[in-house]
Amino acid sequence: MDAGSSSARTVAACVIGGIVLGASVVALHLGGGPAAPSLPPVEALRRRFRRRRRPVRVYMDGCFDMMHYGHCNALRQARALGDELVVGVVSDDEITANKGPPVTPLHERMKMVRAVKWVDDVIPDAPYAITEDFMNKLFNEYNIDYIIHGDDPCLLPDGTDAYALAKKAGRYKQIKRTEGVSTTDIVGRMLLCVRERPASDNQNHSSLQRQFSHGHGQNIDHSGSGSGTKISHFLPTSRRIVQFSNSRSPGPDSRIVYIDGAFDLFHAGHVEILRLARGLGDFLLVGIHTDQTISSTRGPHRPIMNLHERSLSVLACRYVDEVIIGAPWDISKDMITTFNISLVVHGTIAENMDYTEGDSHPYAVPIAMGIYHKLESPLDITTSTIIRRIVSNHEAYQKRNEKKEASEKKYYDSKSFVNGE
C-alpha cells in the first residue's frame, strides 16, 4: 500500500470521526443523553450583575443637636455597613415633642450633618419614630436596604421602641454607641454655672453669662452619675484618630491653607469658615489650640470640649485634610516652613479678637510674609452663641437633662460589651 492511499484513508477517518462526534454532541443537546447545564439568558445575567453592583444604601436618623464626635463616629460606623449613607435629621418640632427644645435649629443641624465626610445624602424633617409610611418611603423611594441605630435604646414617650417596625421587617442593623459623650453631657457642662444658683436669685441672662465665663458656681461630678456637671469621660485611642483621619498627605506642589482656633462646641459657623478656607487651596491644615491656651483667654470653664474631643470633631469635617493637635498660639516662620504653608486665614467672626490691637499678634509673621488673609465669616455664630442659648433657657434644658441623665445612667449601669468600632 503506497503512501498516498494511507494518507487518504487517514483523512477519511478523521472526517468520519468528526461527523460522528458532532452528531453525538447534537444528540446530547437535543435530549439524547444527560442534560447539559443550560446558561441563563443574557438579560438575566445583566439583571443579576446590576443587582450585585447596586450600592448598598443604609439609613440613619437622629437629632444631631450640638453635633459632636460621638455623632460623627456613629455615622462613620453606619457608613461602614453599606456603600452609601443617607441621614435623616429630625425636625425641631419632633425633638421638642419627644425630648425637649433643641439647642441648634434644623438649618444649622443640616449644615453640620452635610459636612460629615461619611454622609452621602440628607433628608430634612425626618420623623423621630420610624412609622410604617416613612419606612416604606425609605425602602421604595430612597432605595434603603438597612436602617441603622446604636445599641442604646431609643424609646418614645409611651415607652415603645422607635425602631420596632424596622426590626420586625428584618431591615435593622445595630452599631456600638460612642461612650463618654452625649448632647446631654455637653449641655450639662454648660449648665455648670447655674446648677447651684439659688431659686431666689433673679439674675438676668447676661449676668448668668458673665458668671459662666468667670467660673462661678462650679459643681463637678467626677463619678459620671448624678445631677452634677460631668467632666469628660472620653478615652482617646490612636485607632480612633486613625479612623477619623483622611490618611492622605499634600502633594509637593499643593497649595496648603492653614487656619487655627479653639473649635469648641463645633458648630455651623466653624463648618462654613472651614468650607471657605478649603476653597482657597488644595489642602486644608487646621490648628487646634490647647485647653490651657483657651482657658487663659476665655475663662476657667472653657473649653467645654477637651483637646482630643475637639480634634475628632474637626477631623470628621469633609473640608479638613489634617489637624495639628495642640497648635501654638503664635504662628512662627519655622512652622510655616515645616508644613509648607502657602496661606494663613482667619474668620471675621471669632472670640477674643483683642490681640489685633496689641503688640503681641499671633499672625504677625504671616502678615509680614504677605500670606495672611482674613475671610468674611458666613455665619455670625461663636461658641459663646451656643452657651447663651443654653443659659437663656437654662430651666428648660435642666429639666430636659434630668430626664435624659436618668436614662443614660440606666444604660451605663446595665450595658454589656458590644463588638464594634
Side-chain angles (χ1 to χ4, degrees):
M1 182 168 54
D2 59 22
S5 300
S6 176
S7 176
R9 281 197 298 273
T10 301
V11 171
C14 290
V15 170
I16 293 171
I19 293 172
V20 172
L21 180 61
S24 300
V25 171
V26 170
L28 286 171
H29 184 69
L30 294 175
S38 60
L39 294 174
V42 174
E43 184 55 35
L45 281 172
R46 286 175 178 166
R47 284 199 299 270
R48 186 180 300 171
F49 180 77
R50 280 199 298 269
R51 283 199 301 269
R52 189 166 59 246
R53 293 296 300 164
R54 185 180 77 78
V56 174
R57 288 169 63 83
V58 297
Y59 172 82
M60 188 173 198
D61 59 15
C63 302
F64 304 104
D65 193 17
M66 294 185 62
M67 194 162 186
H68 49 71
Y69 64 91
H71 292 132
C72 298
N73 192 46
L75 295 174
R76 181 190 65 80
Q77 291 181 81
R79 180 64 165 74
L81 295 176
D83 301 306
E84 295 176 356
L85 173 61
V86 180
V87 180
V89 183
V90 178
S91 69
D92 293 342
D93 290 342
E94 287 272 278
I95 296 174
T96 301
N98 288 277
K99 298 177 71 173
V103 179
T104 48
L106 178 64
H107 70 276
E108 291 182 19
R109 292 184 285 118
M110 290 287 292
K111 287 182 184 294
M112 296 298 296
V113 174
R114 284 196 177 104
V116 176
K117 60 188 175 185
W118 299 289
V119 174
D120 296 291
D121 197 6
V122 181
I123 300 174
D125 292 316
Y128 189 81
I130 302 290
T131 63
E132 187 168 359
D133 287 344
F134 186 70
M135 186 172 68
N136 290 332
K137 183 176 182 179
L138 290 177
F139 295 157
N140 299 323
E141 294 184 25
Y142 290 95
N143 295 318
I144 297 300
D145 295 290
Y146 298 101
I147 294 170
I148 317 292
H149 187 63
D151 63 307
D152 53 319
C154 183
L155 302 179
L156 299 174
D158 62 2
T160 57
D161 185 353
Y163 295 89
L165 289 175
K167 292 175 181 178
K168 185 177 179 180
R171 307 278 286 272
Y172 176 85
K173 287 191 176 185
Q174 184 173 278
I175 59 170
K176 180 177 174 59
R177 168 179 170 156
T178 304
E179 297 177 3
V181 67
S182 67
T183 299
T184 302
D185 167 67
I186 297 169
V187 170
R189 300 184 203 182
M190 283 185 285
L191 288 172
L192 183 147
C193 74
V194 297
R195 283 186 184 271
E196 290 193 332
R197 186 171 63 95
S200 59
D201 188 349
N202 293 319
Q203 292 171 309
N204 59 32
H205 298 152
S206 61
S207 175
L208 290 175
Q209 174 64 24
R210 288 194 301 273
Q211 184 180 354
F212 182 93
S213 299
H214 291 91
H216 301 304
Q218 185 170 355
N219 175 28
I220 298 178
D221 176 10
H222 291 271
S223 68
S225 63
S227 61
T229 300
K230 301 177 184 68
I231 59 172
S232 171
H233 288 164
F234 172 54
L235 301 176
T237 63
S238 57
R239 183 173 64 171
R240 180 70 76 229
I241 293 175
V242 169
Q243 289 169 339
F244 274 52
S245 173
N246 287 337
S247 301
R248 66 169 178 260
S249 302
D253 300 321
S254 294
R255 179 175 169 83
I256 299 173
V257 179
Y258 178 75
I259 185 170
D260 62 0
F263 297 100
D264 194 16
L265 298 178
F266 196 66
H267 52 70
H270 292 137
V271 164
E272 287 297 278
I273 200 68
L274 291 173
R275 177 181 62 81
L276 292 183
R278 182 60 175 81
L280 296 176
D282 308 305
F283 192 92
L284 182 60
L285 175 65
V286 181
I288 304 174
H289 295 149
T290 66
D291 297 345
Q292 292 77 12
T293 296
I294 299 167
S295 293
S296 66
T297 58
R298 302 186 187 181
H301 282 308
R302 307 282 288 273
I304 307 299
M305 312 289 285
N306 68 37
L307 177 60
H308 292 103
E309 294 175 311
R310 292 181 285 117
S311 297
L312 288 180
S313 292
V314 174
L315 271 174
C317 181
R318 66 173 70 250
Y319 308 117
V320 176
D321 295 292
E322 181 64 287
V323 302
I324 299 176
I325 302 174
W329 179 255
D330 295 312
I331 301 173
S332 65
K333 176 68 166 62
D334 180 71
M335 177 180 163
I336 291 171
T337 303
T338 297
F339 292 100
N340 196 27
I341 295 169
S342 304
L343 184 67
V344 175
V345 301
H346 195 270
T348 54
I349 301 297
E351 299 181 78
N352 299 93
M353 296 285 285
D354 294 343
Y355 58 75
T356 57
E357 304 298 329
D359 296 330
S360 178
H361 198 309
Y363 301 103
V365 171
I367 289 173
M369 294 175 65
I371 61 169
Y372 177 79
H373 177 68
K374 186 169 285 188
L375 280 174
E376 189 68 33
S377 299
L379 296 178
D380 185 11
I381 302 175
T382 66
T383 300
S384 290
T385 304
I386 309 298
I387 293 172
R388 281 194 294 271
R389 292 175 184 175
I390 298 293
V391 172
S392 65
N393 198 18
H394 70 277
E395 291 180 0
Y397 289 119
Q398 189 160 339
K399 185 176 180 180
R400 163 182 158 173
N401 263 32
E402 287 170 356
K403 181 171 66 174
K404 288 294 293 179
E405 282 171 352
S407 64
E408 289 194 6
K409 185 177 186 301
K410 183 178 179 181
Y411 166 78
Y412 280 107
D413 288 345
S414 61
K415 78 169 186 177
S416 58
F417 175 75
V418 175
N419 188 25
E421 293 296 327

